[in-house]
Amino acid sequence: MTVSVAQVWQWLDEVPDPEIPVISVVDLGIVRDVKWDNETLELAVTPTYSGCPATRVIAMDIETALRDHGLSDIRIKTRISPPWTTDWLTESGRAKLEEYGIAPPSPAGGPEKCPQCGSGNLSKISQFGSTPCKAHWRCDDCLEPFDYFKCL
Amino acid sequence: MNNALFESLLRLGDNTLVIGHRVSEWCGVAPVLEEDIALANMALDLIGQTQMWLGLAADVEGEGRSADDLAMLRDVWDFRNVLLVEQPNGDFGQTIMRQYLFDQFHLLQLQHLTQSTEDRIAAIAQKAVKEVTYHVDRSRDTVVALGDGTEESNRRMQAALTKLWPYIGEMFAADAIDLEMATAGVIPDPASLRADYDAATRVVFADAVLTPPAGDFAHGGGKTGFRHSEHLGHLLTQMQWLQRAYPGARW
Ligand SMILES: [Zn+2]
């Protein structure tokens, strides 16, 4: 019996991003396509940043998860076009980021509010944070430093 | 094999590889933690772009070599990067100046490459241009902050600009390979990017209170592989050491 594509998407939504484990690879918007090619399950995955060291780990995590669900014939392709954009983060992904203490991307080019206290009184510490996808900011009210998920 | 296409891809990939490696040399020793992280992240972006460019170069060559083979098993005379990117880091100011001088060129180049008639080049450029837009924002701001900073930081940035100035011209020097590819709409004629580059950098140097040296003498020989500076060989001994000592070693 073949597993439905919808079922596979559900399983993928349980695969955490290795660097921000509160969101799934589906929340992150990097799984671009899931389809059956005869007996082979074919996935298209796009990297967030060209040099993101997590990209290879993510492909391995996805494969491991699907094997755990009994699938064995899996092909994972890297698709770079169209390039990943933070617009592909899901709504639930954005909410989970904020709850975790990472300000979600905003088209204004900086965080809307402090993920801890909600203040809008913020300053940028560094354009780059702990991973290529984040910048480093600080709240000038509660004084907590926090990561901001860069808008790309 | 389309030799001009292969050469052009090496030029793109070797530029990002060599400057990416240079920037990574700061990892763990930058003046402040934030800069250390920023430099390491930029190096990652550049090495990631290298994997795409050299991966495509290897495909076009069609001789079974991989991006890693091209990066780790070629000698100095096979590299096609411009001389600017292989220049040593110097002090932090010199590294940031080199980065800005390259980033500004890189951004203009990628913006044109997103329209390449070669789809695979356009796709890589569309990915890379987003990252490089961010790089140039940062290196530009830092050049201005340091140039228009203290007497000491201004002195160092001026020294860096004076030292690196003769390496700018090579980025815009077109040869037969460039012209063949430009005619086919694959890459822009590098000379056509010069006016926009000069306009952008002029504003930044003024904001940074820096004076560009007189004269437009330009060193050449990097992108053609004719004559690299002595620095590239030293860089490669470090970068390629593991693959040279343990051929075929894998993680
Ligand atoms: Zn706060």
Side-chain angles (χ1 to χ4, degrees):
Chain A
M1 194 194 86
T2 330
V3 174
S4 74
V5 165
Q7 175 65 73
V8 173
W9 276 103
Q10 213 172 334
W11 288 337
L12 292 172
D13 201 22
E14 289 160 10
V15 178
D17 173 75
E19 281 174 345
I20 313 171
V22 288
I23 60 172
S24 75
V25 294
V26 174
D27 284 328
L28 194 56
I30 57 171
V31 182
R32 301 315 300 158
D33 198 19
V34 177
K35 65 169 190 249
W36 283 102
D37 176 18
N38 295 318
E39 300 298 303
T40 307
L41 183 72
E42 190 178 291
L43 290 90
V45 176
T46 195
T48 51
Y49 283 75
S50 307
C52 182
T55 308
R56 227 183 287 178
V57 179
I58 288 172
M60 219 157 58
D61 288 352
I62 287 176
E63 183 160 353
T64 307
L66 295 177
R67 284 183 186 281
D68 287 347
H69 285 291
L71 300 180
S72 55
D73 199 350
I74 304 160
R75 190 187 312 137
I76 300 178
K77 289 183 157 182
T78 303
R79 182 189 288 176
I80 62 163
S81 179
W84 180 78
T85 155
T86 38
D87 295 345
W88 293 345
L89 269 173
T90 62
E91 274 309 312
S92 81
R94 294 174 61 89
K96 282 184 244 176
L97 279 178
E98 190 154 27
E99 200 180 326
Y100 186 61
I102 298 172
S106 129
E112 257 160 42
K113 55 185 197 288
C114 166
Q116 305 297 337
C117 75
S119 163
N121 186 12
L122 312 168
S123 40
K124 184 167 74 182
I125 299 177
S126 173
Q127 258 170 299
F128 287 89
S130 54
T131 62
C133 58
K134 286 177 272 165
H136 205 199
W137 285 66
R138 178 182 55 216
C139 173
D140 292 329
D141 281 329
C142 75
L143 302 180
E144 281 291 323
F146 65 89
D147 269 335
Y148 162 62
F149 205 106
K150 295 182 323 208
C151 203
L152 188 76
Chain B
M1 175 182 74
N2 181 336
N3 190 59
L5 179 58
F6 177 65
E7 286 285 324
S8 296
L9 289 164
L10 290 183
R11 291 172 178 185
L12 288 161
D14 287 346
N15 276 349
T16 51
L17 174 61
V18 172
I19 200 165
H21 185 82
R22 273 286 184 236
V23 172
S24 80
E25 291 171 358
W26 278 102
C27 190
V29 295
V32 291
L33 184 61
E34 285 78 6
E35 288 305 327
D36 201 292
I37 292 170
L39 289 165
N41 272 312
M42 274 190 0
L44 267 179
D45 284 345
L46 291 162
I47 301 297
Q49 293 165 16
T50 304
Q51 284 176 328
M52 296 193 285
W53 292 127
L54 294 186
L56 182 52
D59 271 3
V60 166
E61 186 191 37
E63 305 219 336
R65 290 205 279 184
S66 66
D68 281 346
D69 292 338
L70 290 174
M72 298 301 166
L73 301 175
R74 281 180 303 151
D75 279 311
V76 167
W77 47 82
D78 299 322
F79 274 75
R80 297 291 181 265
N81 58 281
V82 291
L83 299 174
L84 174 69
V85 297
E86 70 196 40
Q87 296 313 301
N89 285 340
D91 60 15
F92 180 73
Q94 189 177 318
T95 293
I96 292 297
M97 180 60 76
R98 185 189 60 203
Q99 195 63 38
Y100 172 63
L101 297 177
F102 177 70
D103 285 347
Q104 188 68 65
F105 162 77
H106 198 197
L107 178 65
L108 291 167
Q109 184 188 42
L110 288 171
Q111 284 169 340
H112 281 80
L113 289 173
T114 61
Q115 308 298 320
S116 173
T117 51
E118 163 57 70
D119 291 346
R120 293 172 296 178
I121 288 183
I124 296 171
Q126 281 156 21
K127 179 91 193 143
V129 75
K130 293 175 145 208
E131 296 161 359
V132 171
T133 302
Y134 205 75
H135 295 178
V136 75
D137 275 353
R138 176 172 173 283
S139 60
R140 183 204 301 118
D141 289 356
T142 314
V143 163
V144 172
L146 291 173
D148 188 18
T150 65
E151 207 173 300
E152 174 69 7
S153 71
N154 175 270
R155 184 187 66 75
R156 289 188 184 220
M157 293 310 278
Q158 182 63 54
L161 179 58
T162 303
K163 189 179 179 82
L164 296 173
W165 186 256
Y167 295 100
I168 293 175
E170 189 190 10
M171 297 189 281
F172 304 96
D175 64 2
I177 289 169
D178 290 322
L179 295 178
E180 181 185 338
M181 287 288 99
T183 305
V186 176
I187 63 166
D189 175 352
S192 72
L193 308 175
R194 187 72 201 244
D196 285 347
Y197 183 87
D198 287 344
T201 53
R202 196 177 302 124
V203 174
V204 172
F205 296 149
D207 287 352
V209 206
L210 298 173
T211 313
D216 55 5
F217 170 75
H219 294 289
K223 67 185 265 186
T224 58
F226 174 67
R227 185 176 56 226
H228 281 281
S229 61
E230 66 176 294
H231 309 296
L232 182 62
H234 292 277
L235 181 149
L236 295 186
T237 55
Q238 197 182 45
M239 186 179 84
Q240 299 182 332
W241 173 81
L242 194 125
Q243 281 301 326
R244 299 290 191 176
Y246 303 96
R250 303 181 63 85
W251 293 118

